[in-house]
Amino acid sequence: MEEETKRLKILAYKMRKEIIQMTNKAKSGHPGGSLSCIDILTCLYFNVLRHNPENPEWEERDFFILSKGHASPAFYSVLSYSGYFEKDELKSFRQLNSRLQGHPEKGTLKGVEITTGSLGQGLSIANGIALGLKLKKSTARVYCLLGDGELQEGQLWEAIQSAGHRKIDNLCVILDRNRLQIDGFVEDLKKEEPLEDKLKSFLFNVLRIDGHNFNSILDAFNIASKTRSKPTFIIADTIKGKGVSFMENNVKFHGVPPDDEETETALREIDEELRKMERE
Amino acid sequence: MEKLSLRDCYGETLLNLAREDKRIVALDADLSGSTKTSLLSKEIPERFFDMGVAEADMIGTATGLSLTGFIPFASTFAVFGTGRCYDQIRQSVCISKANVKIVVTHGGITVGEDGATHQMVEDIALMTSLPNMRVFVPADAYQTKSVIEYVAKKEGPFFVRLSREKFPVIYDKDKNFNLLKADILKEGKNLTFIATGLMVFNCLEAAKALKGSGIDAEVINVCSIKPIDKETIISSAKKTGLIVTVEEHSVMNGLGAQVLSAICEEAFVPLLKIGIEDRFGTSGKPDELLKYFGLDPESIAKKAIEFYKRIKK
């Protein structure tokens, strides 16, 4: 386990560098919420998901839906590091004619199951996939990542009701609970806690974890896969901008990329962290 | 005159298709008895999903089902199935080119007593605006059957608008439709009615009423509003030199607007749009409302004569 978490953590920090570089080069994009969910996505794509980048439409694959589509830098990073496309293409993020659109678009870029960006829509889609898999008697599973600001969207609560009511147990929802949204603290805009109580009453199996602890993340996915007759909701407490000191908990970096100087500092910090990890 | 329900026909056709093709599934938002998806739900409950009063969730769930190879038909009233979930149709369905069929009933003012909130007169405008969306409005029950069979077969997003009221039968039961072609139901010489849905029959009646006034009207049924059959429309425009579009929909951005933009590059022909004049509906009986809004055959004929005289003088 320790070796595996070390492997995942190193991967996640390498991809943190990609997130910084992609958004800096594009001079736009959403680094904060990408850095908060990259550890979760790394666990999914490099340990949990049954998928085949060589054959993206493999019948038996698990599905992943990025409902918070603005975390596309994190999503594209795990896709390219998994082998869906060359890492070099990450440089084209948000450029004209790029397959790496500002928000993920279903089409030519394999691995993107559906278009997301306008918030609140991913869970209904994940439900539909999970119901379809059940109809087909498939054992594949569906994972859906939500943002905590996104949880203000009414459609998500429609979908949460559907998943609980229909006992969609091949579904695992992960909430990237980084507590910040563009206009400030989520709890100041609209109180979301007590999240565990709310989601339990909507008939979910609810787990709450440290979203940057790789063992906890893997354990939670493992519990989710063994849970029957209830969908699982993992509330992952995370830090917006995680991994770069001056970006952590700094709402500025929700939708603003680091400038060239900040980028240099950020990359240096991450490299330092990577050297530490490799020494351990 | 024989009248048949488009909704009944939809429910029966969908059930028949689902019997043959296990990929067909239906979703509804608590209106399955009205939209007639209930026919499928009773016989094949495992392929029916009643999402409750949650249209956005219904569109998303339909999208998800399509990603696992199913062919979902999502139904509710026109007002809830378009405006209520426009962004879901836009992003989840249309940008993604998902294989989702949205079939709505209760389009237009003939919803009747329920009034403005339930009378959708902007749905064609909304749906034709969406890239990748194709928009069908059948003119009778037999054309409805053909439309439903067609959209089930074709990959990608479709929007089909049906009505609450029964429609007079226009076509033969066994007609072989070419749905992408605008259908010239009556040839004419000096005015063209271009209509969709229930207004096709009303235009046929109006054309009869015009005979005594020296107007020999052509009547064209446009079932596929998007893509629209430019060729047939332009050639009729050039032939008669006068166009009157008629729709049970707002005149702002419906059939009339589509026809106008289809012809204006190639033919300079005066065009009168008959429909709901930039306002919402109101309560009343369907027949009363058609008269009130000037969409009954007599009112259509009267407006056509006035227009003809004004232009030809």
Side-chain angles (χ1 to χ4, degrees):
Chain A
M1 192 69 164
E2 237 165 63
E3 222 166 275
E4 176 62 358
T5 51
K6 185 178 168 187
R7 178 183 80 97
L8 294 171
K9 200 169 174 188
I10 289 172
L11 269 169
Y13 273 78
K14 284 185 175 163
M15 288 188 282
R16 280 192 162 87
K17 289 175 68 179
E18 302 290 354
I19 293 167
I20 299 294
Q21 285 167 316
M22 284 166 83
T23 52
N24 169 259
K25 180 162 193 306
K27 301 212 180 322
S28 66
H30 301 79
S34 294
L35 292 169
S36 65
C37 71
I38 188 68
D39 295 337
I40 297 161
L41 290 189
T42 305
C43 288
L44 269 174
Y45 274 81
F46 295 92
N47 183 291
V48 178
L49 278 186
R50 286 193 302 184
H51 66 133
N52 182 359
E54 307 277 303
N55 180 13
E57 277 154 45
W58 178 40
E59 270 294 301
E60 316 281 310
R61 76 186 181 282
D62 292 335
F63 282 77
F64 171 71
I65 303 295
L66 180 75
S67 192
K68 47 171 286 185
H70 56 278
S72 53
F75 187 35
Y76 294 146
S77 297
V78 291
L79 286 180
S80 76
Y81 275 59
S82 301
Y84 285 91
F85 57 88
E86 296 292 326
K87 286 176 196 166
D88 200 49
E89 198 174 341
L90 290 172
K91 291 186 189 133
S92 72
F93 178 54
R94 287 182 169 246
Q95 309 296 320
L96 188 64
N97 294 323
S98 171
R99 299 194 295 172
L100 277 57
Q101 291 286 298
H103 295 81
E105 213 174 291
K106 182 183 168 68
T108 50
L109 192 66
K110 298 301 173 196
V112 177
E113 303 281 6
I114 199 72
T115 306
T116 52
S118 172
L119 294 171
Q121 302 191 23
L123 186 52
S124 299
I125 296 165
N127 283 343
I129 296 168
L131 290 168
L133 293 172
K134 277 179 179 282
L135 261 184
K136 287 162 67 173
K137 310 246 182 285
S138 161
T139 57
R141 297 181 55 77
V142 185
Y143 297 86
C144 178
L145 183 78
L146 309 178
D148 55 354
E150 183 182 19
L151 213 51
Q152 289 151 1
E153 287 283 4
Q155 187 190 348
L156 279 179
W157 294 94
E158 296 180 6
I160 286 168
Q161 284 185 68
S162 290
H165 173 76
R166 292 181 181 275
K167 303 185 166 87
I168 306 180
D169 56 8
N170 52 348
L171 169 76
C172 178
V173 185
I174 312 103
L175 180 70
D176 179 10
R177 181 76 168 123
N178 63 33
R179 294 175 184 271
L180 282 168
Q181 58 188 112
I182 303 177
D183 275 356
F185 286 103
V186 174
E187 290 300 287
D188 288 344
L189 269 81
K190 216 169 242 185
K191 201 168 169 52
E192 289 186 349
E193 300 291 350
L195 273 169
E196 285 117 306
D197 291 348
K198 281 184 187 171
L199 291 158
K200 275 179 192 159
S201 72
F202 278 88
L203 308 176
F204 269 76
N205 169 44
V206 184
L207 305 167
R208 188 149 197 161
I209 60 163
D210 171 353
H212 299 302
N213 181 319
F214 287 77
N215 285 317
S216 308
I217 300 170
L218 293 177
D219 283 347
F221 282 129
N222 191 31
I223 295 169
S225 69
K226 289 182 177 136
T227 302
R228 296 287 167 268
S229 72
K230 269 186 179 187
T232 293
F233 201 110
I234 302 172
I235 303 163
D237 286 306
T238 57
I239 294 167
K240 199 151 189 159
K242 169 76 179 175
V244 179
S245 59
F246 60 90
M247 293 175 84
E248 287 190 1
N249 290 315
N250 185 349
V251 75
K252 176 189 152 191
F253 292 105
H254 172 93
V256 175
D259 63 24
D260 291 348
E261 203 186 316
E262 288 165 335
T263 297
E264 210 177 295
T265 316
L267 293 177
R268 212 165 37 228
E269 268 190 32
I270 298 170
D271 274 333
E272 180 56 36
E273 195 64 33
L274 275 166
R275 272 195 296 276
K276 242 196 281 174
M277 278 179 230
E278 273 155 5
R279 276 200 303 270
E280 270 168 19
Chain B
M1 175 201 10
E2 190 193 12
K3 283 190 175 187
L4 285 175
S5 157
L6 277 56
R7 294 187 276 148
D8 286 339
C9 172
Y10 166 49
E12 288 156 15
T13 308
L14 184 62
L15 174 59
N16 282 332
L17 288 167
R19 282 174 180 150
E20 300 287 312
D21 187 342
K22 291 211 173 349
R23 294 173 302 165
I24 290 185
V25 295
L27 300 92
D28 210 296
D30 196 35
L31 289 167
S32 64
S34 295
T35 66
K36 304 298 175 187
T37 55
S38 55
L39 296 178
L40 184 148
S41 81
K42 279 175 197 140
E43 191 176 309
I44 318 174
E46 68 279 13
R47 276 190 274 147
F48 177 72
F49 302 90
D50 201 325
M51 303 311 298
V53 192
E55 294 78 12
D57 191 34
M58 172 173 75
I59 297 298
T61 309
T63 303
L65 282 158
S66 78
L67 297 183
T68 52
F70 289 96
I71 304 170
F73 280 73
S75 292
T76 176
F77 289 179
V79 64
F80 311 129
T82 56
R84 182 84 195 185
C85 47
Y86 178 77
D87 191 37
Q88 286 73 21
I89 300 174
R90 179 177 184 275
Q91 175 172 287
S92 298
V93 179
C94 287
I95 298 182
S96 307
K97 300 188 183 114
N99 194 23
V100 172
K101 324 297 173 184
I102 299 164
V103 181
V104 300
T105 65
H106 295 62
I109 52 154
T110 47
V111 168
E113 294 81 349
D114 276 353
T117 56
H118 284 52
Q119 294 167 358
M120 187 45 159
V121 294
E122 316 98 65
D123 50 340
I124 296 171
L126 289 172
M127 294 298 107
T128 50
S129 299
L130 287 169
N132 302 328
M133 182 60 97
R134 285 155 288 180
V135 176
F136 283 162
V137 184
D140 78 354
Y142 297 130
Q143 189 164 44
T144 302
K145 177 171 181 280
S146 172
V147 165
I148 299 303
E149 288 169 351
Y150 180 86
V151 304
K153 231 173 26 218
K154 291 277 172 187
E155 181 75 21
F158 278 94
F159 174 73
V160 181
R161 183 207 219 201
L162 307 177
S163 296
R164 178 188 177 211
E165 287 297 280
K166 291 179 177 174
F167 283 12
V169 171
I170 294 171
Y171 290 107
D172 291 338
K173 190 166 189 268
D174 305 315
K175 181 175 166 67
N176 201 358
F177 287 95
N178 179 354
L179 293 169
L180 298 184
K181 196 119 186 74
D183 190 13
I184 302 173
L185 288 165
K186 176 189 172 300
E187 301 249 6
K189 290 198 177 73
N190 47 13
L191 184 147
T192 304
F193 281 121
I194 299 179
T196 196
L198 179 63
M199 293 303 111
V200 175
F201 177 80
N202 286 7
C203 285
L204 286 167
E205 293 296 296
K208 284 182 204 162
L210 289 178
K211 268 183 190 155
S213 49
I215 302 175
D216 182 3
E218 185 146 299
V219 180
I220 299 180
N221 169 22
V222 174
C223 173
S224 173
I225 297 181
K226 189 185 171 192
I228 199 160
D229 174 8
K230 280 191 185 183
E231 200 187 324
T232 303
I233 291 170
I234 290 168
S235 101
S236 180
K238 284 179 176 167
K239 178 171 85 170
T240 67
L242 209 57
I243 292 202
V244 177
T245 62
V246 191
E247 60 196 305
E248 197 191 331
H249 183 275
S250 167
V251 292
M252 297 304 288
N253 283 300
L255 172 73
Q258 295 292 327
V259 169
L260 183 59
S261 65
I263 62 171
C264 64
E265 283 181 15
E266 287 192 43
F268 183 68
V269 175
L271 183 148
L272 173 70
K273 292 190 278 185
I274 298 179
I276 311 296
E277 297 287 341
D278 195 22
R279 58 157 293 181
F280 291 110
T282 187
S283 285
K285 292 191 176 64
D287 281 347
E288 287 174 351
L289 288 170
L290 286 173
K291 285 201 178 73
Y292 180 81
F293 285 106
L295 294 173
D296 59 309
E298 294 72 32
S299 308
I300 294 168
K302 203 172 145 229
K303 285 184 204 168
I305 292 170
E306 284 166 13
F307 181 57
Y308 180 84
K309 284 183 178 160
R310 183 151 49 90
I311 300 298
K312 297 281 169 168
K313 83 174 174 217

